[in-house]
Amino acid sequence: MTESKRDLRSKFIGALLGTAVGDALGAPLEGWSSERITRVYGDAGRLALVEGRYSDDTEQMIGVAESLLIIKGFDGADMARTLVQNMNPKRGYGPGSRAAFERLRAGERWDEAAQHLFGGMGSYGNGAAMRIAPIGLLYHDNPKKLREVAYRSSQITHTHELGKEGAALQAFAIALAVRNEREEMQPQLEAFVQQDVFKQKLRRMERLLRTEASSGEVIAELGNGMAAFDSVPTAIYSFLRFEDFEHSVDFAIRLGGDTDTIGAMTGAICGAYYGAQAIPSDWLAQLEDGEKGKRYIQRLAEELFDITVKKEL
Ligand code: F2R
Ligand code: MG
């Protein structure tokens, strides 16, 4: 294997394991404020991964990867079936996604079940964005297809335009990270994204990066909540602000709020940029390794790499 292929393979593994590590690190702190995290853990050093158990973010990311691999591309019915089959409610699913999966289980069509949620508006939660890494990897060199598949995969649970756009934005950030396009990432994302709320946050990000903003400013300007527009830009910012995996992910989680999900999305972008070897070994050592644990996740990433380089799509 050439060096560039080896690097690419490591980026694929990094993005999927980065999702799981960020998720597991943030999961015990989900819903905490930034101040509470500082009070309990101090502000020196980095957070330790103690439990190593991942949540719904990683469980759904695994389902997305499994379906892409079986189909060698996207099939909405198969992906919905896989997500439903994999669902373990103990992993802590969002209320909208739970309702969509119940409707799917009852036999509704994959592209209709989630339309009824939130009074017919559909969900703009970050649930479609947090599981998107495999799509960002598989279509990293095809932004048009990436957007189309990101939107369609979101349709399973998140039919609101802003839920879909958040997923496409996160997928494109991962794609640019795979392509080493870090310097140009912010303007490229701003040009790519179609919804104003995301464009505005990407513009604010430029200033926040120039001034090394405080955590309070980042939370006020970009958000740390469960809506896609309050979390995807925050994850991208956390990646761009630092020069390594651990500082970005540690910073993202210390913002509080939706810690597991912002941690998972930051971990995905960082892993896609720096590669698997950049994930701190103590964090990786603690990550769960059961039936669908870290070795399984690594295998999924390797298989995604194989079908991507073989251009079987
Ligand atoms: N569910 C959780 N965490 C709950 C706490 C778990 C706790 N740690 C425990 O131990 O039990 N986390 C997971 O949910 C988030 C992803 O959510 P998803 O899948 O997007 O769900 P949902 O319900 O569709 O959207 C999230 C919330 O966003 C608001 N919202 C969305 N669309 C809306 C609309 N059209 N109008 C108004 N509000 C809307 C709602 O508040 C939704 O509940 C991740 O954090 C994942 O980790
Ligand atoms: Mg969460």
Side-chain angles (χ1 to χ4, degrees), residues 17 20-22 24-25 45-53 244-247 249-250 276-289 294:
L17 284 178
V21 164
L25 196 62
R46 62 170 158 81
L47 296 163
L49 185 50
V50 182
E51 290 172 30
R53 180 173 157 81
D244 57 53
F245 186 99
E246 66 177 275
H247 283 96
V249 172
D250 188 76
Q277 68 288 344
I279 302 175
S281 52
D282 57 316
W283 284 354
L284 205 47
Q286 283 299 109
L287 184 64
E288 68 174 272
D289 199 17
K294 60 189 161 198

Side-chain angles (χ1 to χ4, degrees), residues 44-290:
R46 62 170 158 81
L47 296 163
L49 185 50
V50 182
E51 290 172 30
R53 180 173 157 81
Y54 63 69
S55 76
D56 60 324
D57 303 46
T58 303
E59 187 161 86
Q60 291 190 56
M61 180 277 285
I62 288 171
V64 169
E66 288 172 338
S67 177
L68 291 174
L69 285 167
I70 287 283
I71 301 294
K72 294 198 167 58
F74 177 75
D75 179 284
D78 184 81
M79 191 172 284
R81 198 164 39 245
T82 308
L83 291 172
V84 169
Q85 272 165 6
N86 284 359
M87 182 188 182
N88 172 2
K90 292 193 183 135
R91 300 267 185 198
Y93 280 64
S97 293
R98 253 197 328 264
F101 291 139
E102 270 160 31
R103 283 174 172 272
L104 287 164
R105 214 175 268 121
E108 284 193 42
R109 274 181 59 101
W110 73 271
D111 51 354
E112 288 176 0
Q115 281 173 357
H116 310 276
L117 305 178
F118 298 98
M121 285 165 59
S123 174
Y124 54 60
N126 53 20
M130 72 195 187
R131 66 181 185 224
I132 205 76
I135 290 170
L137 296 176
L138 199 52
Y139 301 108
H140 71 270
D141 56 359
N142 187 345
K144 192 163 169 259
K145 186 84 180 163
L146 174 146
R147 184 197 297 280
E148 179 204 320
V149 175
Y151 285 172
R152 295 181 74 210
S153 71
S154 302
Q155 182 76 18
I156 299 168
T157 47
H158 291 71
T159 62
H160 194 291
E161 291 302 317
L162 297 178
K164 292 184 187 183
E165 194 69 1
L169 179 61
Q170 171 69 8
F172 195 46
I174 291 167
L176 292 174
V178 169
R179 285 155 39 178
N180 290 326
E181 295 182 34
R182 179 190 164 102
E183 293 310 313
E184 317 77 23
M185 184 179 276
Q186 190 276 340
Q188 288 212 59
L189 292 173
E190 202 180 312
F192 172 83
V193 85
Q194 294 177 344
Q195 299 283 340
D196 260 4
V197 60
F198 288 103
K199 269 199 197 295
Q200 281 166 18
K201 291 209 169 179
L202 286 161
R203 277 188 207 121
R204 284 184 216 165
M205 187 183 299
E206 208 186 346
R207 183 182 62 74
L208 294 170
L209 285 167
R210 252 187 290 113
T211 57
E212 290 215 353
S214 67
S215 296
E217 272 180 279
V218 175
I219 296 165
E221 299 277 337
L222 302 181
N224 65 353
M226 284 206 287
F229 47 81
D230 283 335
S231 50
V232 174
T234 314
I236 295 165
Y237 173 84
S238 300
F239 163 66
L240 288 174
R241 171 144 174 185
F242 300 94
E243 304 292 330
D244 57 53
F245 186 99
E246 66 177 275
H247 283 96
S248 287
V249 172
D250 188 76
F251 175 85
I253 291 171
R254 284 174 179 278
L255 293 172
D258 197 355
T259 49
D260 59 333
T261 302
I262 300 175
M265 294 192 296
T266 306
I269 304 169
C270 290
Y273 185 72
Y274 298 113
Q277 68 288 344
I279 302 175
S281 52
D282 57 316
W283 284 354
L284 205 47
Q286 283 299 109
L287 184 64
E288 68 174 272
D289 199 17

